[in-house]
Amino acid sequence: MSEKRGIRMLAVSGCLGYGFTETAFDAGLQSGIDFIACDAGSMDPGPWYLGAGKPYVSEQALRRDLEIMLAGARRVGVPVIIGSAGGGGATPHVAILERLIREIAAERGLHFKLAVISSVPDRDLVAERLKQDRIRPLENVPPLTPETLDQTDVMVAMMGAEPLQAALRGGADVVLAGRCSDSALFAAIPLMQGYPAGPAWHLGKTIECGGAIVRPKIGQDCVIGHLDDDGFEVEPGHPDKRCTPESVAAHTLYENPSPYDFIEPSGVVDTRDATYTALDDRRVRVTGSQYNRAEKYTVKLEGVRCVGHRSIMIAGIRDSRLIEEIHSFCDAMNDRVVTEARNLGIADSDWTLTIRRYGLDGVLGPLEPRRSEPGHELGLVLDVVGRTEEIAASVLAKARYIGMHTEFKGRLSSSGNLAMPFSPSDISVGSAWEFSLWHAMELDDPCEIFPITFSEV
């Protein structure tokens, strides 16, 4: 009877720079893992980070996590895979992490073969695929037009497992990938070794956020995944923490419109028949996951365009009379700002004002079903995006003044019903970006837009 196969992997953290305990990391290394992987990015913080080329965690935090990972991996001789480098995965983001990796290697005397995978697609190729009708919008997104593509300043494509596998086949000890499927970081090696796709991808999805499936959920931490031919097991790296069937299954609801279908470039993970069983008070086994291969290989395109400059102001309201009149008050504010901006010679098309009312409908906006039930406090965020920094500042200054002096029914004082917690009250946020690409593009080859650069470090 042949021995049952198995492969073990360590998910270091939900995001590089979010941190983890060295206790859990060392326990993972000592458990006999075959590779280490960590996601390093997301689009959850919005379009600014991709457009500005900045990470959304500090370099200090990135360096701390990287140093422990690289030193530990070289100590036990296993590969490291990092995806969505620097947050957005565009060229500046990847460059930041590559610099940190080289600096750490020099300081620690570490030597390895580094593979860096770009995820910035060629603009002419994207335009050609658009002409060929091989780009489709994702849910609730309009179809892509040549004009929108031209307006897109920065774009990346989310790679699947194949570019990672190509880097590993090229002998890489450390793989630094641009924008990348989180699950692919953990599925790439098992798929190369012939493990079934359903459990491999589902395990990747389960541990891509590290300690998110661990209880107690105190910060981020390491999780160990063990894959075999029939399913997979997960357990916390830290001896004082545990996984439960509920905590593991709950992650299928995270960042997914459906808990049963996880879309990857090469297919869809189907968890409808998955079962979650507690092996003991720390470990959970999952079986029954399926993988349905897609007819066409597609990658998600993410892109942003700069729409000007943003300035904001934050204020609080605790006057019950004003809260009762908040809808008409905001309408009056908006009308007065339009008039005052025109008086300054600023065209309507050069700015936007959004009034966000936290405590009423600040999260859901017009979709909020309880808009008529405000509490006794409201927080206002005046959000102005102007064509230039000067326009944004000018319009916001008017909006702030108008907010303090606009009349409302039942007012007792002459003015000044907004409380501002900060001075200066008007805050320049910098360049303003919006998503312009959120589409799926067909590829002829899974690696065709993801060039790899190898180097000895």
Side-chain angles (χ1 to χ4, degrees):
M1 184 176 180
S2 62
E3 185 177 351
K4 190 174 183 179
R5 297 190 306 163
I7 182 170
R8 292 173 67 82
M9 60 201 76
L10 182 63
V12 173
S13 178
C15 180
L16 191 73
Y18 280 9
F20 53 88
T21 68
E22 293 190 54
T23 297
F25 183 78
D26 290 340
L29 292 190
Q30 293 169 14
S31 73
I33 57 167
D34 296 288
F35 68 92
I36 297 170
C38 188
D39 173 44
S42 171
M43 287 299 156
D44 290 355
W48 185 88
Y49 297 92
L50 178 60
K54 303 290 186 182
Y56 54 86
V57 293
S58 70
E59 281 202 18
Q60 184 178 12
L62 291 170
R63 178 183 289 274
R64 181 266 182 189
D65 288 1
L66 272 174
E67 185 167 6
I68 296 172
M69 285 174 58
L70 294 172
R74 300 320 301 151
R75 189 165 66 246
V76 299
V78 299
V80 170
I81 306 174
I82 299 168
S84 298
T91 302
H93 305 94
V94 175
I96 291 171
L97 280 202
E98 182 176 357
R99 172 173 55 80
L100 290 175
I101 287 172
R102 293 183 182 278
E103 290 175 358
I104 291 167
E107 293 165 2
R108 296 292 298 262
L110 303 175
H111 302 283
F112 46 81
K113 189 170 186 176
L114 173 66
V116 179
I117 311 175
S118 171
S119 60
V120 180
D122 180 82
R123 192 174 287 269
D124 291 339
L125 183 142
V126 176
E128 185 63 26
R129 294 289 154 86
L130 181 59
K131 288 181 181 176
Q132 296 169 346
D133 196 24
R134 298 176 68 189
I135 297 178
R136 61 176 171 79
L138 299 181
E139 190 172 2
N140 299 321
V141 173
L144 181 62
T145 65
E147 292 75 21
T148 301
L149 181 59
D150 289 341
Q151 294 165 359
T152 298
D153 297 295
V154 183
M155 62 176 155
V156 291
M158 184 181 289
M159 70 184 76
E162 294 81 359
L164 305 176
Q165 294 170 339
L168 293 163
R169 289 192 182 98
D173 303 299
V174 177
V175 179
L176 180 64
R179 191 70 172 120
C180 182
S181 156
D182 299 350
S183 305
L185 300 172
F186 304 93
I189 291 179
L191 293 173
M192 287 172 67
Q193 298 184 5
Y195 284 91
W201 281 107
H202 191 185
L203 172 55
K205 171 57 190 173
T206 300
I207 64 176
E208 47 97 13
C209 260
I213 62 169
V214 167
R215 300 293 183 267
K217 194 175 173 182
I218 305 172
Q220 263 295 340
D221 218 343
C222 307
V223 172
I224 302 166
H226 181 98
L227 177 71
D228 57 42
D229 288 320
D230 302 319
F232 65 88
E233 300 166 14
V234 291
E235 63 178 304
H238 200 289
D240 295 338
K241 298 179 180 179
R242 66 186 189 282
C243 288
T244 70
E246 291 77 16
S247 71
V248 173
H251 199 62
T252 59
L253 295 165
Y254 176 68
E255 291 183 333
N256 283 301
S258 163
Y260 302 119
D261 299 302
F262 309 143
I263 301 173
E264 298 292 344
S266 60
V268 180
V269 185
D270 183 345
T271 67
R272 286 172 178 77
D273 295 328
T275 60
Y276 302 79
T277 306
L279 296 178
D280 50 36
D281 61 353
R282 299 186 69 250
R283 297 180 302 149
V284 173
R285 180 166 180 79
V286 182
T287 58
S289 317
Q290 304 296 320
Y291 193 73
N292 302 313
R293 186 160 291 277
E295 293 183 5
K296 297 179 180 177
Y297 193 99
T298 58
V299 290
K300 179 186 176 189
L301 297 176
E302 297 170 338
V304 296
R305 60 186 167 199
C306 187
V307 293
H309 192 96
R310 168 166 277 120
S311 293
I312 65 170
M313 191 208 76
I314 301 171
I317 299 173
R318 208 179 181 284
D319 183 331
S320 59
R321 297 173 183 83
L322 176 52
I323 291 174
E324 288 177 3
E325 299 296 322
I326 194 67
H327 295 288
S328 60
F329 175 80
C330 290
D331 290 343
M333 265 189 68
N334 193 73
D335 292 343
R336 286 189 61 187
V337 172
V338 170
T339 300
E340 294 286 350
R342 288 173 181 170
N343 290 341
L344 292 177
I346 302 174
D348 294 356
S349 58
D350 283 347
W351 61 276
T352 60
L353 167 64
T354 304
I355 304 175
R356 304 183 189 281
R357 304 174 292 204
Y358 290 95
L360 174 63
D361 54 11
V363 177
L364 293 180
L367 299 178
E368 171 57 59
R370 302 174 64 179
R371 299 184 82 202
S372 62
E373 303 175 26
H376 65 282
E377 290 184 347
L378 287 183
L380 288 189
V381 176
L382 306 186
D383 174 8
V384 175
V385 174
R387 184 173 54 80
T388 66
E389 181 176 2
E390 182 181 8
I391 290 174
S394 296
V395 175
L396 180 63
K398 285 294 184 184
R400 183 224 325 126
Y401 157 76
I402 289 168
M404 295 177 66
H405 294 277
T406 293
E407 284 295 306
F408 56 89
K409 182 180 178 182
R411 186 177 204 167
L412 298 180
S413 66
S414 59
S415 63
N417 291 78
L418 303 184
M420 286 165 280
F422 305 117
S423 181
S425 59
D426 300 2
I427 304 167
S428 174
V429 181
S431 56
W433 298 80
E434 67 179 15
F435 285 114
S436 51
L437 274 181
W438 205 257
H439 298 72
M441 181 175 76
E442 296 177 17
L443 295 187
D444 293 332
D445 182 284
C447 297
E448 72 171 309
I449 60 171
F450 303 109
I452 306 172
T453 303
F454 293 94
S455 62
E456 295 291 340
V457 176

PDB file of all heavy atoms in Angstrom, residues 28-58:
ATOM      1  N   GLY A  28       5.475  26.973  13.012  1.00  0.00           N
ATOM      2  CA  GLY A  28       5.208  26.548  11.639  1.00  0.00           C
ATOM      3  C   GLY A  28       6.444  25.961  10.987  1.00  0.00           C
ATOM      4  O   GLY A  28       6.384  24.903  10.343  1.00  0.00           O
ATOM      5  N   LEU A  29       7.584  26.623  11.151  1.00  0.00           N
ATOM      6  CA  LEU A  29       8.824  26.095  10.574  1.00  0.00           C
ATOM      7  C   LEU A  29       9.151  24.718  11.141  1.00  0.00           C
ATOM      8  O   LEU A  29       9.554  23.808  10.405  1.00  0.00           O
ATOM      9  CB  LEU A  29       9.985  27.050  10.860  1.00  0.00           C
ATOM     10  CG  LEU A  29       9.983  28.428  10.177  1.00  0.00           C
ATOM     11  CD1 LEU A  29      11.323  29.112  10.390  1.00  0.00           C
ATOM     12  CD2 LEU A  29       9.659  28.338   8.698  1.00  0.00           C
ATOM     13  N   GLN A  30       8.989  24.565  12.436  1.00  0.00           N
ATOM     14  CA  GLN A  30       9.340  23.304  13.084  1.00  0.00           C
ATOM     15  C   GLN A  30       8.385  22.170  12.734  1.00  0.00           C
ATOM     16  O   GLN A  30       8.694  20.996  12.964  1.00  0.00           O
ATOM     17  CB  GLN A  30       9.365  23.509  14.607  1.00  0.00           C
ATOM     18  CG  GLN A  30      10.493  24.441  15.067  1.00  0.00           C
ATOM     19  CD  GLN A  30      10.355  24.860  16.511  1.00  0.00           C
ATOM     20  OE1 GLN A  30       9.565  24.272  17.264  1.00  0.00           O
ATOM     21  NE2 GLN A  30      11.121  25.874  16.926  1.00  0.00           N
ATOM     22  N   SER A  31       7.217  22.522  12.178  1.00  0.00           N
ATOM     23  CA  SER A  31       6.244  21.470  11.846  1.00  0.00           C
ATOM     24  C   SER A  31       6.560  20.786  10.524  1.00  0.00           C
ATOM     25  O   SER A  31       5.855  19.865  10.116  1.00  0.00           O
ATOM     26  CB  SER A  31       4.841  22.083  11.795  1.00  0.00           C
ATOM     27  OG  SER A  31       4.680  22.872  10.627  1.00  0.00           O
ATOM     28  N   GLY A  32       7.610  21.260   9.833  1.00  0.00           N
ATOM     29  CA  GLY A  32       7.996  20.601   8.592  1.00  0.00           C
ATOM     30  C   GLY A  32       7.260  21.101   7.377  1.00  0.00           C
ATOM     31  O   GLY A  32       6.717  20.304   6.604  1.00  0.00           O
ATOM     32  N   ILE A  33       7.247  22.392   7.167  1.00  0.00           N
ATOM     33  CA  ILE A  33       6.532  22.959   6.023  1.00  0.00           C
ATOM     34  C   ILE A  33       7.369  22.816   4.745  1.00  0.00           C
ATOM     35  O   ILE A  33       8.591  22.687   4.782  1.00  0.00           O
ATOM     36  CB  ILE A  33       6.204  24.446   6.252  1.00  0.00           C
ATOM     37  CG1 ILE A  33       7.484  25.230   6.542  1.00  0.00           C
ATOM     38  CG2 ILE A  33       5.194  24.595   7.366  1.00  0.00           C
ATOM     39  CD1 ILE A  33       7.318  26.708   6.467  1.00  0.00           C
ATOM     40  N   ASP A  34       6.670  22.861   3.611  1.00  0.00           N
ATOM     41  CA  ASP A  34       7.318  22.759   2.303  1.00  0.00           C
ATOM     42  C   ASP A  34       7.523  24.110   1.633  1.00  0.00           C
ATOM     43  O   ASP A  34       8.352  24.238   0.745  1.00  0.00           O
ATOM     44  CB  ASP A  34       6.478  21.862   1.389  1.00  0.00           C
ATOM     45  CG  ASP A  34       6.422  20.440   1.914  1.00  0.00           C
ATOM     46  OD1 ASP A  34       7.444  19.743   1.830  1.00  0.00           O
ATOM     47  OD2 ASP A  34       5.369  20.043   2.434  1.00  0.00           O
ATOM     48  N   PHE A  35       6.747  25.106   2.020  1.00  0.00           N
ATOM     49  CA  PHE A  35       6.953  26.456   1.498  1.00  0.00           C
ATOM     50  C   PHE A  35       6.215  27.467   2.370  1.00  0.00           C
ATOM     51  O   PHE A  35       5.346  27.109   3.177  1.00  0.00           O
ATOM     52  CB  PHE A  35       6.528  26.580   0.040  1.00  0.00           C
ATOM     53  CG  PHE A  35       5.048  26.474  -0.227  1.00  0.00           C
ATOM     54  CD1 PHE A  35       4.233  27.598  -0.272  1.00  0.00           C
ATOM     55  CD2 PHE A  35       4.465  25.230  -0.461  1.00  0.00           C
ATOM     56  CE1 PHE A  35       2.884  27.498  -0.522  1.00  0.00           C
ATOM     57  CE2 PHE A  35       3.118  25.117  -0.722  1.00  0.00           C
ATOM     58  CZ  PHE A  35       2.314  26.250  -0.753  1.00  0.00           C
ATOM     59  N   ILE A  36       6.621  28.733   2.193  1.00  0.00           N
ATOM     60  CA  ILE A  36       6.025  29.863   2.908  1.00  0.00           C
ATOM     61  C   ILE A  36       5.429  30.805   1.874  1.00  0.00           C
ATOM     62  O   ILE A  36       6.029  31.051   0.826  1.00  0.00           O
ATOM     63  CB  ILE A  36       7.098  30.615   3.730  1.00  0.00           C
ATOM     64  CG1 ILE A  36       7.696  29.706   4.812  1.00  0.00           C
ATOM     65  CG2 ILE A  36       6.524  31.881   4.357  1.00  0.00           C
ATOM     66  CD1 ILE A  36       8.914  30.317   5.498  1.00  0.00           C
ATOM     67  N   ALA A  37       4.264  31.348   2.168  1.00  0.00           N
ATOM     68  CA  ALA A  37       3.659  32.322   1.256  1.00  0.00           C
ATOM     69  C   ALA A  37       2.945  33.402   2.049  1.00  0.00           C
ATOM     70  O   ALA A  37       2.530  33.179   3.196  1.00  0.00           O
ATOM     71  CB  ALA A  37       2.684  31.645   0.291  1.00  0.00           C
ATOM     72  N   CYS A  38       2.828  34.547   1.428  1.00  0.00           N
ATOM     73  CA  CYS A  38       2.126  35.656   2.078  1.00  0.00           C
ATOM     74  C   CYS A  38       1.589  36.625   1.027  1.00  0.00           C
ATOM     75  O   CYS A  38       2.327  37.033   0.127  1.00  0.00           O
ATOM     76  CB  CYS A  38       3.072  36.391   3.029  1.00  0.00           C
ATOM     77  SG  CYS A  38       2.239  37.625   4.064  1.00  0.00           S
ATOM     78  N   ASP A  39       0.347  36.953   1.171  1.00  0.00           N
ATOM     79  CA  ASP A  39      -0.232  38.008   0.346  1.00  0.00           C
ATOM     80  C   ASP A  39       0.280  39.349   0.871  1.00  0.00           C
ATOM     81  O   ASP A  39       0.525  39.507   2.061  1.00  0.00           O
ATOM     82  CB  ASP A  39      -1.758  37.935   0.441  1.00  0.00           C
ATOM     83  CG  ASP A  39      -2.429  39.101  -0.244  1.00  0.00           C
ATOM     84  OD1 ASP A  39      -2.008  39.449  -1.357  1.00  0.00           O
ATOM     85  OD2 ASP A  39      -3.372  39.669   0.335  1.00  0.00           O
ATOM     86  N   ALA A  40       0.455  40.293  -0.026  1.00  0.00           N
ATOM     87  CA  ALA A  40       0.995  41.592   0.398  1.00  0.00           C
ATOM     88  C   ALA A  40       0.160  42.759  -0.110  1.00  0.00           C
ATOM     89  O   ALA A  40       0.630  43.897  -0.083  1.00  0.00           O
ATOM     90  CB  ALA A  40       2.450  41.734  -0.078  1.00  0.00           C
ATOM     91  N   GLY A  41      -1.047  42.484  -0.581  1.00  0.00           N
ATOM     92  CA  GLY A  41      -1.796  43.607  -1.117  1.00  0.00           C
ATOM     93  C   GLY A  41      -3.275  43.352  -1.244  1.00  0.00           C
ATOM     94  O   GLY A  41      -3.770  42.264  -0.954  1.00  0.00           O
ATOM     95  N   SER A  42      -3.955  44.385  -1.699  1.00  0.00           N
ATOM     96  CA  SER A  42      -5.408  44.333  -1.848  1.00  0.00           C
ATOM     97  C   SER A  42      -5.859  45.621  -2.520  1.00  0.00           C
ATOM     98  O   SER A  42      -5.134  46.617  -2.522  1.00  0.00           O
ATOM     99  CB  SER A  42      -6.059  44.196  -0.462  1.00  0.00           C
ATOM    100  OG  SER A  42      -7.458  44.346  -0.555  1.00  0.00           O
ATOM    101  N   MET A  43      -7.062  45.604  -3.068  1.00  0.00           N
ATOM    102  CA  MET A  43      -7.664  46.834  -3.554  1.00  0.00           C
ATOM    103  C   MET A  43      -8.699  47.348  -2.551  1.00  0.00           C
ATOM    104  O   MET A  43      -9.369  48.356  -2.808  1.00  0.00           O
ATOM    105  CB  MET A  43      -8.327  46.625  -4.918  1.00  0.00           C
ATOM    106  CG  MET A  43      -7.335  46.464  -6.060  1.00  0.00           C
ATOM    107  SD  MET A  43      -6.283  47.911  -6.283  1.00  0.00           S
ATOM    108  CE  MET A  43      -4.877  47.165  -7.107  1.00  0.00           C
ATOM    109  N   ASP A  44      -8.828  46.666  -1.413  1.00  0.00           N
ATOM    110  CA  ASP A  44      -9.808  47.087  -0.415  1.00  0.00           C
ATOM    111  C   ASP A  44      -9.618  48.534   0.035  1.00  0.00           C
ATOM    112  O   ASP A  44     -10.610  49.230   0.295  1.00  0.00           O
ATOM    113  CB  ASP A  44      -9.754  46.164   0.800  1.00  0.00           C
ATOM    114  CG  ASP A  44     -10.278  44.773   0.485  1.00  0.00           C
ATOM    115  OD1 ASP A  44     -10.770  44.564  -0.635  1.00  0.00           O
ATOM    116  OD2 ASP A  44     -10.193  43.893   1.362  1.00  0.00           O
ATOM    117  N   PRO A  45      -8.373  49.034   0.172  1.00  0.00           N
ATOM    118  CA  PRO A  45      -8.231  50.436   0.622  1.00  0.00           C
ATOM    119  C   PRO A  45      -8.551  51.461  -0.453  1.00  0.00           C
ATOM    120  O   PRO A  45      -8.340  52.654  -0.232  1.00  0.00           O
ATOM    121  CB  PRO A  45      -6.752  50.515   1.038  1.00  0.00           C
ATOM    122  CG  PRO A  45      -6.297  49.114   1.211  1.00  0.00           C
ATOM    123  CD  PRO A  45      -7.076  48.335   0.200  1.00  0.00           C
ATOM    124  N   GLY A  46      -9.000  51.034  -1.612  1.00  0.00           N
ATOM    125  CA  GLY A  46      -9.413  51.985  -2.630  1.00  0.00           C
ATOM    126  C   GLY A  46      -8.341  52.280  -3.662  1.00  0.00           C
ATOM    127  O   GLY A  46      -7.232  51.741  -3.613  1.00  0.00           O
ATOM    128  N   PRO A  47      -8.684  53.168  -4.623  1.00  0.00           N
ATOM    129  CA  PRO A  47      -7.831  53.346  -5.800  1.00  0.00           C
ATOM    130  C   PRO A  47      -6.575  54.184  -5.567  1.00  0.00           C
ATOM    131  O   PRO A  47      -5.667  54.160  -6.391  1.00  0.00           O
ATOM    132  CB  PRO A  47      -8.768  54.038  -6.790  1.00  0.00           C
ATOM    133  CG  PRO A  47      -9.735  54.796  -5.927  1.00  0.00           C
ATOM    134  CD  PRO A  47      -9.947  53.922  -4.716  1.00  0.00           C
ATOM    135  N   TRP A  48      -6.517  54.962  -4.500  1.00  0.00           N
ATOM    136  CA  TRP A  48      -5.418  55.921  -4.335  1.00  0.00           C
ATOM    137  C   TRP A  48      -4.059  55.232  -4.318  1.00  0.00           C
ATOM    138  O   TRP A  48      -3.097  55.709  -4.947  1.00  0.00           O
ATOM    139  CB  TRP A  48      -5.605  56.729  -3.043  1.00  0.00           C
ATOM    140  CG  TRP A  48      -4.585  57.815  -2.874  1.00  0.00           C
ATOM    141  CD1 TRP A  48      -4.665  59.091  -3.345  1.00  0.00           C
ATOM    142  CD2 TRP A  48      -3.313  57.712  -2.212  1.00  0.00           C
ATOM    143  NE1 TRP A  48      -3.532  59.796  -3.013  1.00  0.00           N
ATOM    144  CE2 TRP A  48      -2.692  58.977  -2.323  1.00  0.00           C
ATOM    145  CE3 TRP A  48      -2.655  56.688  -1.537  1.00  0.00           C
ATOM    146  CZ2 TRP A  48      -1.435  59.236  -1.779  1.00  0.00           C
ATOM    147  CZ3 TRP A  48      -1.392  56.940  -1.005  1.00  0.00           C
ATOM    148  CH2 TRP A  48      -0.799  58.201  -1.130  1.00  0.00           C
ATOM    149  N   TYR A  49      -3.958  54.114  -3.625  1.00  0.00           N
ATOM    150  CA  TYR A  49      -2.653  53.466  -3.435  1.00  0.00           C
ATOM    151  C   TYR A  49      -2.104  52.936  -4.754  1.00  0.00           C
ATOM    152  O   TYR A  49      -0.903  53.003  -5.005  1.00  0.00           O
ATOM    153  CB  TYR A  49      -2.766  52.344  -2.393  1.00  0.00           C
ATOM    154  CG  TYR A  49      -3.141  52.881  -1.039  1.00  0.00           C
ATOM    155  CD1 TYR A  49      -4.477  52.954  -0.646  1.00  0.00           C
ATOM    156  CD2 TYR A  49      -2.171  53.350  -0.167  1.00  0.00           C
ATOM    157  CE1 TYR A  49      -4.835  53.478   0.584  1.00  0.00           C
ATOM    158  CE2 TYR A  49      -2.518  53.877   1.067  1.00  0.00           C
ATOM    159  CZ  TYR A  49      -3.845  53.933   1.439  1.00  0.00           C
ATOM    160  OH  TYR A  49      -4.193  54.464   2.650  1.00  0.00           O
ATOM    161  N   LEU A  50      -2.997  52.416  -5.602  1.00  0.00           N
ATOM    162  CA  LEU A  50      -2.545  51.961  -6.915  1.00  0.00           C
ATOM    163  C   LEU A  50      -2.102  53.151  -7.757  1.00  0.00           C
ATOM    164  O   LEU A  50      -1.051  53.115  -8.410  1.00  0.00           O
ATOM    165  CB  LEU A  50      -3.670  51.197  -7.618  1.00  0.00           C
ATOM    166  CG  LEU A  50      -3.356  50.693  -9.032  1.00  0.00           C
ATOM    167  CD1 LEU A  50      -2.165  49.740  -9.024  1.00  0.00           C
ATOM    168  CD2 LEU A  50      -4.581  50.012  -9.655  1.00  0.00           C
ATOM    169  N   GLY A  51      -2.886  54.231  -7.723  1.00  0.00           N
ATOM    170  CA  GLY A  51      -2.543  55.383  -8.528  1.00  0.00           C
ATOM    171  C   GLY A  51      -1.293  56.094  -8.056  1.00  0.00           C
ATOM    172  O   GLY A  51      -0.441  56.494  -8.867  1.00  0.00           O
ATOM    173  N   ALA A  52      -1.151  56.252  -6.755  1.00  0.00           N
ATOM    174  CA  ALA A  52      -0.016  56.990  -6.206  1.00  0.00           C
ATOM    175  C   ALA A  52       1.251  56.146  -6.125  1.00  0.00           C
ATOM    176  O   ALA A  52       2.333  56.684  -5.862  1.00  0.00           O
ATOM    177  CB  ALA A  52      -0.379  57.523  -4.818  1.00  0.00           C
ATOM    178  N   GLY A  53       1.120  54.831  -6.308  1.00  0.00           N
ATOM    179  CA  GLY A  53       2.295  53.967  -6.239  1.00  0.00           C
ATOM    180  C   GLY A  53       2.823  53.787  -4.837  1.00  0.00           C
ATOM    181  O   GLY A  53       4.021  53.564  -4.636  1.00  0.00           O
ATOM    182  N   LYS A  54       1.934  53.864  -3.852  1.00  0.00           N
ATOM    183  CA  LYS A  54       2.338  53.769  -2.447  1.00  0.00           C
ATOM    184  C   LYS A  54       1.763  52.510  -1.802  1.00  0.00           C
ATOM    185  O   LYS A  54       0.633  52.121  -2.099  1.00  0.00           O
ATOM    186  CB  LYS A  54       1.839  54.988  -1.662  1.00  0.00           C
ATOM    187  CG  LYS A  54       2.309  56.319  -2.223  1.00  0.00           C
ATOM    188  CD  LYS A  54       3.795  56.521  -1.995  1.00  0.00           C
ATOM    189  CE  LYS A  54       4.218  57.926  -2.433  1.00  0.00           C
ATOM    190  NZ  LYS A  54       5.676  58.131  -2.276  1.00  0.00           N
ATOM    191  N   PRO A  55       2.490  51.892  -0.872  1.00  0.00           N
ATOM    192  CA  PRO A  55       1.907  50.798  -0.087  1.00  0.00           C
ATOM    193  C   PRO A  55       1.009  51.357   1.009  1.00  0.00           C
ATOM    194  O   PRO A  55       1.129  52.533   1.371  1.00  0.00           O
ATOM    195  CB  PRO A  55       3.142  50.113   0.515  1.00  0.00           C
ATOM    196  CG  PRO A  55       4.181  51.184   0.582  1.00  0.00           C
ATOM    197  CD  PRO A  55       3.912  52.122  -0.573  1.00  0.00           C
ATOM    198  N   TYR A  56       0.115  50.548   1.528  1.00  0.00           N
ATOM    199  CA  TYR A  56      -0.764  51.019   2.594  1.00  0.00           C
ATOM    200  C   TYR A  56      -0.347  50.507   3.967  1.00  0.00           C
ATOM    201  O   TYR A  56      -1.110  50.613   4.931  1.00  0.00           O
ATOM    202  CB  TYR A  56      -2.234  50.683   2.300  1.00  0.00           C
ATOM    203  CG  TYR A  56      -2.535  49.245   2.003  1.00  0.00           C
ATOM    204  CD1 TYR A  56      -2.775  48.343   3.024  1.00  0.00           C
ATOM    205  CD2 TYR A  56      -2.591  48.793   0.696  1.00  0.00           C
ATOM    206  CE1 TYR A  56      -3.046  47.027   2.749  1.00  0.00           C
ATOM    207  CE2 TYR A  56      -2.866  47.483   0.415  1.00  0.00           C
ATOM    208  CZ  TYR A  56      -3.088  46.598   1.438  1.00  0.00           C
ATOM    209  OH  TYR A  56      -3.352  45.283   1.177  1.00  0.00           O
ATOM    210  N   VAL A  57       0.834  49.945   4.055  1.00  0.00           N
ATOM    211  CA  VAL A  57       1.471  49.671   5.348  1.00  0.00           C
ATOM    212  C   VAL A  57       2.853  50.325   5.301  1.00  0.00           C
ATOM    213  O   VAL A  57       3.390  50.607   4.231  1.00  0.00           O
ATOM    214  CB  VAL A  57       1.603  48.159   5.644  1.00  0.00           C
ATOM    215  CG1 VAL A  57       0.232  47.537   5.836  1.00  0.00           C
ATOM    216  CG2 VAL A  57       2.331  47.454   4.508  1.00  0.00           C
ATOM    217  N   SER A  58       3.420  50.543   6.467  1.00  0.00           N
ATOM    218  CA  SER A  58       4.685  51.271   6.514  1.00  0.00           C
ATOM    219  C   SER A  58       5.845  50.385   6.067  1.00  0.00           C
ATOM    220  O   SER A  58       5.793  49.156   6.169  1.00  0.00           O
ATOM    221  CB  SER A  58       4.944  51.767   7.940  1.00  0.00           C
ATOM    222  OG  SER A  58       5.236  50.671   8.790  1.00  0.00           O
TER     223      SER A  58
END
